[in-house]
Amino acid sequence: MENLGRTSARPSPPGESLGSNLLFTDHGRPVNASCMEAAVRRAAERAGLGRVAPHQLRHTLAIQAINRGMSLEAIAALLGHKSLSMTRVYARIADRTVADEYFAVSEKVEALCNAPRQPPADAEGSETAK
């Protein structure tokens, strides 16, 4: 997928069509990069997302995959990375995302713990229960 939509895709092994190595093809031929960019742009505009590039979608896919527990090796294979060092960038992003979410939840928990305790309205002895 590293060559997604580019006409300079690596040659296919004998007996295998070029299109079988790519995610998006047009009758077995690679999709032109400008056609792919235009399709992504139109879809993003319809969704109200503003300007979006195909490469941003790769980043989003990788970040979501790692945040959901997919292994770095599987993500590397999915993205067509030849080495895990390229894929480790997403692990650092995921670590930061996890830390940010942890601290956000911690603040909410602390706020609840520090709030004055009140018995439920229907508890015995409360003024609202009769």
Side-chain angles (χ1 to χ4, degrees):
M1 284 183 29
E2 201 67 70
N3 292 321
L4 179 68
R6 296 190 182 131
T7 55
S8 61
R10 63 180 162 74
S12 298
E16 186 178 311
S17 73
L18 174 64
S20 65
N21 292 329
L22 302 172
L23 180 61
F24 298 106
T25 62
D26 180 17
H27 303 291
R29 295 181 308 244
V31 174
N32 180 295
S34 62
C35 290
M36 181 62 69
E37 289 168 2
V40 168
R41 186 181 64 245
R42 283 190 306 272
E45 286 171 2
R46 277 188 241 128
L49 298 176
R51 187 179 168 126
V52 176
H55 200 77
Q56 288 172 292
L57 298 178
R58 284 176 54 88
H59 284 286
T60 301
L61 170 69
I63 292 166
Q64 291 298 317
I66 200 163
N67 281 337
R68 287 174 168 77
M70 191 173 187
S71 72
L72 285 178
E73 292 82 4
I75 294 169
L78 180 68
L79 297 177
H81 291 166
K82 291 182 173 66
S83 74
L84 280 179
S85 64
M86 295 173 74
T87 313
R88 283 192 192 104
V89 169
Y90 300 108
R92 287 192 293 276
I93 292 169
D95 290 344
R96 191 169 49 241
T97 301
V98 169
D100 290 345
E101 289 187 21
Y102 171 80
F103 287 115
V105 168
S106 295
E107 288 174 356
K108 290 177 184 177
V109 169
E110 286 184 32
L112 288 172
C113 290
N114 294 331
R117 290 185 160 183
Q118 296 181 356
D122 62 346
E124 272 189 50
S126 69
E127 293 184 24
T128 57
K130 303 239 179 206

